[in-house]
Amino acid sequence: MLLLLCCTGGTAAFFLTGLGGDDGENGDPLMGLGCGPIRPVDIVGELPRFTEYGDAQVRNAAIVIQVGQELGVPSRGWVIALATAMQESALRNLANSDVPESLALPHEGVGADHDSLGLFQQRPGWGSVAERMTPSYTARKFYEKLVKVRSWQRRPLTVVAQQVQISAYPDAYAKHEELASKIVDALAGGAARTVEINGKAVCDAAERGEIAASGWTAPIPGDVGSGFRTASRPSHNGVDIGAAKGTEIRAAAAGRVLVARCDPDNRGRRDCDVDGYPDKGGCGWYVDLLHAGGYITRYCHMVVQPNVDQDQIVAAGEVIGKVGSSGNSSGPHLHFEVHVGNNRHSSGAINPVPFMRARGAPLRAAE
């Protein structure tokens, strides 16, 4: 493959808060976890340890996953369910000081939110006090409602969880997605790295619009050519993926559009509707997306103006533009970057290849 030249991320530093917190700032918690085959969760034996949660909480997480497996819910649902329970109860089976009957039942803490009970803080319409204090029952009720939400496997986790829970704090769920994926991977054999294809969970196959349980997908299928900060290109803050002009580019995960515009070249020109050339400078037509966990993805050299606008919320796998060669480019390709810590500057860039592989959406050759 010809060496593809592209921009080095010509935008200035831009720090953001609000969507997803800063969970990605101190490294990637999903690195190093394997994938498959998915295994049934054992809620009785010894379980992995997590610094964020004690044994009882991890066992509750195992129960939630086990119920999802029994119901045949795809593993994306397990991630959503765990993230929801993490927000609602910190994975604790909570009694309620205003519901005396709940205090006489086994519990791991006492809440005081109206008459809400259990892992998912369900109110009386979900079941009796005894039922809502039974983790397996509450998980089952959550899944039964979840699978009725339209397009739940590709919509933002926080949107789907809110439609099930009707919470007063609908934006709070997203910050738990990363750790929920990590727990699912640890308890169920890398299940967060799988995607449902023809009814089967397949590892590391999230591309062409298929969404991994982690919530991520490859932006385009294709060979990675020029890599991240190589010896010959130490300021290359992403990777170049070869593809034909006009190939659809998909959002790698659900998020909010930070930037969708023509990047000026080295001479300040905004002429992105024509093919660029090496040393021209700039990303051409490009998009930056902010995702849960403080991650930012960048998509450069689009052939025409992006399909999305600033502040628009996009779903994972949604088409945001088309491959081109605008800006600092020697031919059609996608320049793809991943940044951590809400940091759009080059100092926030990390290697996209291991990052995407850890999420079941590897950047690899199209089959």
Side-chain angles (χ1 to χ4, degrees):
M1 174 178 288
L2 294 174
L3 179 67
L4 297 173
L5 298 176
C6 70
C7 64
T8 58
T11 52
F14 189 62
F15 296 89
L16 297 137
T17 58
L19 176 60
D22 299 325
D23 297 346
E25 188 169 2
N26 298 317
D28 185 356
L30 294 183
M31 292 301 186
L33 295 174
C35 182
I38 294 179
R39 59 175 179 267
V41 172
D42 179 9
I43 65 172
V44 178
E46 184 175 353
L47 296 173
R49 295 182 179 274
F50 295 88
T51 57
E52 298 87 353
Y53 295 116
D55 182 71
Q57 293 160 294
V58 175
R59 207 162 297 278
N60 285 334
I63 292 171
V64 171
I65 297 172
Q66 183 186 62
V67 172
Q69 291 179 333
E70 291 173 349
L71 293 175
V73 176
S75 48
R76 176 63 178 162
W78 315 345
V79 173
I80 296 173
L82 283 190
T84 302
M86 292 158 88
Q87 172 62 27
E88 296 290 352
S89 68
L91 291 175
R92 295 177 298 158
N93 191 28
L94 295 179
N96 191 312
S97 56
D98 292 328
V99 185
E101 183 182 345
S102 68
L103 300 172
L105 298 169
H107 59 276
E108 295 143 4
V110 179
D113 181 13
H114 301 287
D115 45 15
S116 301
L117 299 174
L119 288 179
F120 293 91
Q121 289 293 277
Q122 293 167 344
R123 303 194 70 182
W126 292 82
S128 68
V129 171
E131 288 171 334
R132 290 181 288 143
M133 291 297 294
T134 303
S136 60
Y137 172 88
T138 60
R140 180 176 294 272
K141 299 301 287 186
F142 179 88
Y143 286 125
E144 288 174 354
K145 192 170 181 180
L146 169 72
V147 297
K148 296 178 182 178
V149 176
R150 181 178 57 84
S151 303
W152 66 268
Q153 291 196 64
R154 63 178 60 246
R155 297 174 71 187
L157 181 149
T158 191
V159 172
V160 177
Q162 170 64 2
Q163 289 207 18
V164 177
Q165 294 293 111
I166 317 299
S167 168
Y169 304 98
D171 296 327
Y173 300 110
K175 64 186 177 184
H176 301 288
E177 185 169 18
E178 190 82 2
L179 182 54
S181 295
K182 180 180 177 181
I183 293 173
V184 166
D185 275 340
L187 295 180
R193 288 177 59 175
T194 65
V195 61
E196 291 287 312
I197 299 177
N198 296 326
K200 294 183 178 180
V202 182
C203 288
D204 298 337
E207 62 180 19
R208 303 179 190 275
E210 300 284 359
I211 313 300
S214 66
W216 290 77
T217 186
I220 62 172
D223 291 316
V224 172
S226 185
F228 177 78
R229 293 179 181 170
T230 61
S232 61
R233 303 181 69 195
S235 61
H236 191 231
N237 296 316
V239 296
D240 294 344
I241 307 172
K245 183 179 289 188
T247 299
E248 292 182 333
I249 302 169
R250 300 179 182 275
R256 176 166 60 86
V257 178
L258 300 177
V259 174
R261 64 174 180 241
C262 176
D263 195 28
D265 65 15
N266 292 337
R267 297 171 59 184
R269 295 173 299 186
R270 298 179 183 271
D271 54 352
C272 296
D273 288 327
V274 298
D275 286 347
Y277 49 84
D279 299 324
K280 185 179 193 295
C283 266
W285 286 115
Y286 82 107
V287 170
D288 280 0
L289 300 179
L290 174 62
H291 311 283
Y295 297 112
I296 294 171
T297 53
R298 177 170 295 163
Y299 313 76
C300 295
H301 308 312
M302 295 181 182
V303 66
V304 293
Q305 184 173 347
N307 296 3
V308 294
D309 298 312
Q310 184 175 347
D311 293 326
Q312 180 177 335
I313 301 299
V314 299
E318 183 174 337
V319 175
I320 60 173
K322 295 182 178 180
V323 169
S325 189
S326 58
N328 199 88
S329 172
S330 63
H333 69 286
L334 171 66
H335 174 81
F336 179 64
E337 297 183 13
V338 174
H339 294 242
V340 298
N342 294 316
N343 183 358
R344 292 178 60 220
H345 190 265
S346 60
S347 61
I350 62 171
N351 190 343
V353 173
F355 177 90
M356 295 298 288
R357 185 188 307 119
R359 283 150 182 80
L363 307 177
R364 56 185 172 82
E367 297 178 354

